[in-house]
Amino acid sequence: MKMDSEEWQVRPAAQADADAMAQLFGQLGYPASTAEVGERGGRLDPATEVLLACHGTDVAGVLVWHRLRPLHVAPDWGLISALVVDEGARGVGVGAALLAAAEASALAQGCSQLELSSSLKREEAHRFYLAQGYLERPKRFVKLF
Protein backbone atom coordinates (compact mmCIF):
# COMPACT_ATOMS: atom_id res chain seq x y z
CA MET A 1 0.00 0.00 0.00
CA LYS A 2 1.31 3.44 -0.85
CA MET A 3 -0.22 6.23 1.17
CA ASP A 4 0.39 9.77 -0.01
CA SER A 5 -1.88 11.74 2.31
CA GLU A 6 -3.02 11.85 5.90
CA GLU A 7 -6.57 10.65 5.22
CA TRP A 8 -6.83 7.93 7.84
CA GLN A 9 -8.81 7.29 10.97
CA VAL A 10 -7.93 5.33 14.09
CA ARG A 11 -10.60 2.86 15.19
CA PRO A 12 -10.94 -0.31 17.28
CA ALA A 13 -10.16 -3.52 15.39
CA ALA A 14 -12.91 -6.01 14.57
CA GLN A 15 -12.86 -9.73 13.79
CA ALA A 16 -13.21 -8.85 10.09
CA ASP A 17 -9.78 -7.14 10.29
CA ALA A 18 -7.90 -10.37 11.11
CA ASP A 19 -6.43 -10.74 7.61
CA ALA A 20 -5.07 -7.19 7.52
CA MET A 21 -3.61 -7.57 11.02
CA ALA A 22 -2.01 -10.90 10.12
CA GLN A 23 -0.31 -9.27 7.12
CA LEU A 24 0.97 -6.40 9.27
CA PHE A 25 2.29 -8.70 12.01
CA GLY A 26 4.10 -10.64 9.28
CA GLN A 27 5.85 -7.44 8.15
CA LEU A 28 7.18 -7.03 11.69
CA GLY A 29 8.53 -10.58 11.65
CA TYR A 30 5.70 -12.30 13.53
CA PRO A 31 3.96 -14.45 10.92
CA ALA A 32 0.46 -15.57 11.85
CA SER A 33 -2.41 -16.80 9.75
CA THR A 34 -5.70 -14.95 9.50
CA ALA A 35 -7.32 -17.78 11.47
CA GLU A 36 -4.72 -17.51 14.25
CA VAL A 37 -5.12 -13.75 14.56
CA GLY A 38 -8.91 -14.09 14.50
CA GLU A 39 -8.84 -16.76 17.20
CA ARG A 40 -6.46 -14.78 19.42
CA GLY A 41 -8.51 -11.62 18.90
CA GLY A 42 -11.63 -13.43 19.99
CA ARG A 43 -10.17 -14.25 23.39
CA LEU A 44 -8.62 -10.92 24.36
CA ASP A 45 -9.30 -9.75 27.89
CA PRO A 46 -11.09 -6.44 28.52
CA ALA A 47 -7.78 -4.79 29.49
CA THR A 48 -6.49 -5.16 25.92
CA GLU A 49 -7.21 -2.69 23.15
CA VAL A 50 -6.41 -3.22 19.47
CA LEU A 51 -6.39 -0.06 17.36
CA LEU A 52 -6.19 0.22 13.58
CA ALA A 53 -5.19 3.18 11.44
CA CYS A 54 -7.19 3.07 8.23
CA HIS A 55 -6.75 4.90 4.96
CA GLY A 56 -10.05 4.54 3.18
CA THR A 57 -10.77 0.83 3.34
CA ASP A 58 -7.08 -0.09 3.69
CA VAL A 59 -5.56 -0.83 7.08
CA ALA A 60 -2.32 1.17 7.36
CA GLY A 61 -1.27 0.15 10.87
CA VAL A 62 -2.10 -1.71 14.06
CA LEU A 63 -1.31 -1.07 17.72
CA VAL A 64 -2.06 -3.46 20.59
CA TRP A 65 -1.86 -2.21 24.17
CA HIS A 66 -2.72 -3.69 27.53
CA ARG A 67 -3.72 -1.99 30.79
CA LEU A 68 -1.73 -3.46 33.66
CA ARG A 69 -2.95 -3.26 37.25
CA PRO A 70 0.08 -4.17 39.38
CA LEU A 71 -0.49 -5.09 43.00
CA HIS A 72 2.70 -3.43 44.24
CA VAL A 73 2.22 0.07 42.76
CA ALA A 74 -0.53 2.41 41.69
CA PRO A 75 -1.81 3.72 39.39
CA ASP A 76 -2.19 1.36 36.44
CA TRP A 77 0.09 1.60 33.44
CA GLY A 78 -0.12 0.59 29.81
CA LEU A 79 2.08 -1.74 27.82
CA ILE A 80 2.21 -1.67 24.02
CA SER A 81 2.86 -5.20 22.80
CA ALA A 82 2.70 -4.47 19.06
CA LEU A 83 2.90 -1.45 16.79
CA VAL A 84 3.19 -2.04 13.05
CA VAL A 85 2.80 0.46 10.22
CA ASP A 86 2.50 -0.92 6.71
CA GLU A 87 5.79 -0.62 4.81
CA GLY A 88 4.11 1.60 2.19
CA ALA A 89 2.64 3.95 4.78
CA ARG A 90 5.66 4.68 6.97
CA GLY A 91 6.84 8.21 7.56
CA VAL A 92 3.49 9.96 7.06
CA GLY A 93 2.18 10.01 10.63
CA VAL A 94 0.31 6.71 10.90
CA GLY A 95 2.41 5.48 13.83
CA ALA A 96 2.12 8.84 15.58
CA ALA A 97 -1.67 8.74 15.17
CA LEU A 98 -1.83 5.23 16.63
CA LEU A 99 0.37 6.21 19.58
CA ALA A 100 -1.70 9.34 20.22
CA ALA A 101 -4.91 7.29 20.27
CA ALA A 102 -3.40 4.69 22.63
CA GLU A 103 -2.02 7.43 24.90
CA ALA A 104 -5.43 9.16 25.05
CA SER A 105 -7.12 5.87 25.92
CA ALA A 106 -4.51 5.02 28.56
CA LEU A 107 -4.88 8.46 30.16
CA ALA A 108 -8.68 8.17 30.12
CA GLN A 109 -8.35 4.82 31.93
CA GLY A 110 -6.13 6.31 34.64
CA CYS A 111 -2.76 4.94 33.50
CA SER A 112 0.35 6.77 34.70
CA GLN A 113 2.54 5.69 31.78
CA LEU A 114 2.62 3.79 28.52
CA GLU A 115 5.66 1.67 27.73
CA LEU A 116 6.90 -0.58 24.96
CA SER A 117 9.92 -2.60 24.00
CA SER A 118 11.69 -2.69 20.67
CA SER A 119 14.31 -4.98 19.19
CA LEU A 120 17.85 -3.60 19.19
CA LYS A 121 17.95 -3.92 15.40
CA ARG A 122 14.99 -1.53 14.85
CA GLU A 123 17.02 1.69 15.01
CA GLU A 124 14.57 3.67 12.86
CA ALA A 125 11.77 2.72 15.26
CA HIS A 126 13.91 3.85 18.20
CA ARG A 127 14.34 7.30 16.63
CA PHE A 128 10.59 7.43 16.04
CA TYR A 129 9.75 6.58 19.68
CA LEU A 130 12.22 9.16 21.00
CA ALA A 131 10.68 11.78 18.69
CA GLN A 132 7.26 10.90 20.12
CA GLY A 133 8.46 11.69 23.65
CA TYR A 134 9.25 8.16 24.85
CA LEU A 135 12.30 7.72 27.08
CA GLU A 136 14.74 4.86 26.76
CA ARG A 137 14.94 2.54 29.77
CA PRO A 138 17.45 -0.10 28.59
CA LYS A 139 17.19 -3.10 30.92
CA ARG A 140 14.90 -6.01 30.24
CA PHE A 141 15.16 -9.68 31.17
CA VAL A 142 13.28 -12.46 29.39
CA LYS A 143 13.13 -16.18 29.99
CA LEU A 144 11.91 -18.11 26.98
CA PHE A 145 9.92 -21.32 27.41
Side-chain angles (χ1 to χ4, degrees), residues 78-136:
L79 173 68
I80 296 171
S81 63
L83 171 56
V84 189
V85 174
D86 184 88
E87 292 166 341
R90 292 181 184 158
V92 295
V94 175
L98 285 165
L99 282 177
E103 291 164 6
S105 185
L107 278 169
Q109 294 181 49
C111 293
S112 64
Q113 68 184 41
L114 191 57
E115 67 180 60
L116 56 88
S117 61
S118 181
S119 171
L120 288 173
K121 66 182 178 185
R122 299 189 198 283
E123 293 178 9
E124 190 172 326
H126 304 163
R127 287 189 293 277
F128 167 73
Y129 295 131
L130 290 169
Q132 299 304 309
Y134 285 73
L135 304 172
E136 186 174 356

Side-chain angles (χ1 to χ4, degrees), residues 4-122:
D4 298 320
S5 66
E6 297 182 3
E7 297 176 19
W8 63 83
Q9 66 175 12
V10 176
R11 64 169 174 81
Q15 282 294 115
D17 299 311
D19 185 54
M21 290 187 290
Q23 290 179 35
L24 287 167
F25 294 142
Q27 286 184 23
L28 194 60
Y30 299 102
S33 70
T34 299
E36 289 170 324
V37 171
E39 190 273 327
R40 291 177 196 151
R43 58 182 165 93
L44 292 176
D45 66 57
T48 298
E49 189 172 358
V50 182
L51 301 172
L52 298 181
C54 300
H55 181 252
T57 59
D58 294 326
V59 175
V62 60
L63 183 148
V64 182
W65 81 275
H66 314 270
R67 189 184 73 248
L68 304 176
R69 182 162 286 155
L71 184 60
H72 64 290
V73 295
D76 297 353
W77 73 72
L79 173 68
I80 296 171
S81 63
L83 171 56
V84 189
V85 174
D86 184 88
E87 292 166 341
R90 292 181 184 158
V92 295
V94 175
L98 285 165
L99 282 177
E103 291 164 6
S105 185
L107 278 169
Q109 294 181 49
C111 293
S112 64
Q113 68 184 41
L114 191 57
E115 67 180 60
L116 56 88
S117 61
S118 181
S119 171
L120 288 173
K121 66 182 178 185
R122 299 189 198 283

